Structure formats: structure tokens, C-alpha cells
């Protein structure tokens, strides 16, 4: 009888913990590895969560600027397209995770990467003049 009670209590604790995890942000150690080294997972989540704009500049590393966005049923892609249009770029096509843009004779490919079910990263190559993803 005692063994059943202990197993039931453990099962209840796991269910409650799982429910809390579904409602709130999961602990940082459950997120996957970041594709860049200069920020911690906690910093990335805080920057995206506290951002007043849909796209948040995270870091510049190895010739790329990384932006983050809350995953929101494709609205983060709309924010990318809108920001690029405001910067004078024309959307050409999408191939997988790559978004192709052109401005005159210049061409650029911005890749997206889902980091968790709640966050998406955009990897923007350095260019001259630099591409700035500012969206409202």
C-alpha cells in the first residue's frame, strides 16, 4: 500500500511539473545549444522577451548579425519581410530556411533557425551598407 502511495505521489509531482513547464517558459537548461557564442541562453530569452519590437538584434559574430523573434505562427517571418522592405530590399523567394532578397544588383540570403517552439533566429550576413532589421 505504501509503495502505491509513493508511486502515485511521484506521478502527481511529475504531472504538476509538466503542467507548469507547458504554461511557463521552460528552464534555460532545456533549451538547445545557441548557434553563436557571445550570449548566454538567459540573455537571449530576456532580450527577446523584453523587446518592444518583433525583431531583436542579439549579437554580431563571424560576419553575421543575429536577430531573434518570438515564434508566432509565421508573424515573425512577416516581420522579417516588412523590415527588409522598409530597408529597400525586395523579397525574391524562399527556399527552405533561406529568404532571398535583392536591392538593385545586390543580393542577400537571410536564413532562419527555430531555436525552440517559442523562438526563431535570423542570420543576416554583413553587408555594406549594413542591413538593419527594424520592424514595428
Amino acid at each position: 500500500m505504501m509503495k502505491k502511495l509513493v508511486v502515485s505521489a511521484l506521478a502527481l509531482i511529475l504531472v504538476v511539473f509538466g503542467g507548469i513547464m507547458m504554461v511557463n517558459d521552460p528552464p534555460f537548461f532545456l533549451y538547445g545549444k545557441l548557434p553563436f557564442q557571445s550570449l548566454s541562453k538567459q540573455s537571449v530569452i530576456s532580450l527577446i522577451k523584453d523587446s518592444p519590437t518583433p525583431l531583436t538584434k542579439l549579437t554580431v559574430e563571424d560576419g553575421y548579425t543575429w536577430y531573434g523573434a518570438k515564434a508566432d505562427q509565421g508573424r515573425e517571418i512577416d516581420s522579417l519581410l516588412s523590415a527588409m522592405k522598409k530597408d529597400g530590399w525586395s523579397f525574391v523567394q524562399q527556399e527552405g530556411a533561406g529568404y532571398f532578397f535583392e536591392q538593385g544588383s545586390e543580393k542577400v540570403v537571410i536564413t532562419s533557425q527555430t531555436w525552440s517552439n517559442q523562438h526563431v533566429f535570423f542570420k543576416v550576413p554583413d553587408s555594406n551598407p549594413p542591413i538593419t532589421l527594424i520592424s514595428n
Side-chain angles (χ1 to χ4, degrees), residues 17-32 34 41-42 44-51 53-56 58 67-77 113-122:
F17 180 72
I20 291 170
M21 296 285 291
M22 295 296 285
V23 174
N24 297 318
D25 291 332
F28 300 112
F29 65 85
L30 291 179
Y31 284 94
L34 289 168
K41 294 176 186 180
Q42 294 153 321
V44 168
I45 292 168
S46 293
L47 284 168
I48 294 172
K49 187 176 183 179
D50 297 339
S51 176
T53 61
L55 299 171
T56 306
L58 299 174
Y67 289 84
K70 295 174 190 168
D72 188 16
Q73 300 180 352
R75 289 187 186 100
E76 66 280 3
I77 302 302
Q113 179 178 344
T114 301
W115 182 47
S116 70
N117 64 344
Q118 298 175 5
H119 304 93
V120 176
F121 295 142
F122 294 106

Side-chain angles (χ1 to χ4, degrees), residues 4-127:
K4 282 185 178 181
L5 185 61
V6 169
V7 169
S8 296
L10 286 174
L12 180 62
I13 290 169
L14 286 174
V15 168
V16 169
F17 180 72
I20 291 170
M21 296 285 291
M22 295 296 285
V23 174
N24 297 318
D25 291 332
F28 300 112
F29 65 85
L30 291 179
Y31 284 94
K33 184 179 178 195
L34 289 168
F36 42 82
Q37 304 296 320
S38 56
L39 291 174
S40 70
K41 294 176 186 180
Q42 294 153 321
S43 297
V44 168
I45 292 168
S46 293
L47 284 168
I48 294 172
K49 187 176 183 179
D50 297 339
S51 176
T53 61
L55 299 171
T56 306
K57 184 176 179 179
L58 299 174
T59 188
V60 177
E61 212 173 270
D62 298 327
Y64 294 93
T65 302
W66 289 89
Y67 289 84
K70 295 174 190 168
D72 188 16
Q73 300 180 352
R75 289 187 186 100
E76 66 280 3
I77 302 302
D78 293 339
S79 294
L80 169 69
L81 298 176
S82 174
M84 289 297 285
K85 185 175 182 178
K86 284 181 185 176
D87 206 27
W89 291 87
S90 299
F91 175 66
V92 177
Q93 67 183 16
Q94 176 190 354
E95 289 186 23
Y99 295 85
F100 293 75
F101 298 89
E102 61 186 15
Q103 184 181 57
S105 62
E106 298 289 320
K107 297 181 185 207
V108 69
V109 179
I110 296 176
T111 55
S112 65
Q113 179 178 344
T114 301
W115 182 47
S116 70
N117 64 344
Q118 298 175 5
H119 304 93
V120 176
F121 295 142
F122 294 106
K123 184 179 178 184
V124 180
D126 288 346
S127 63

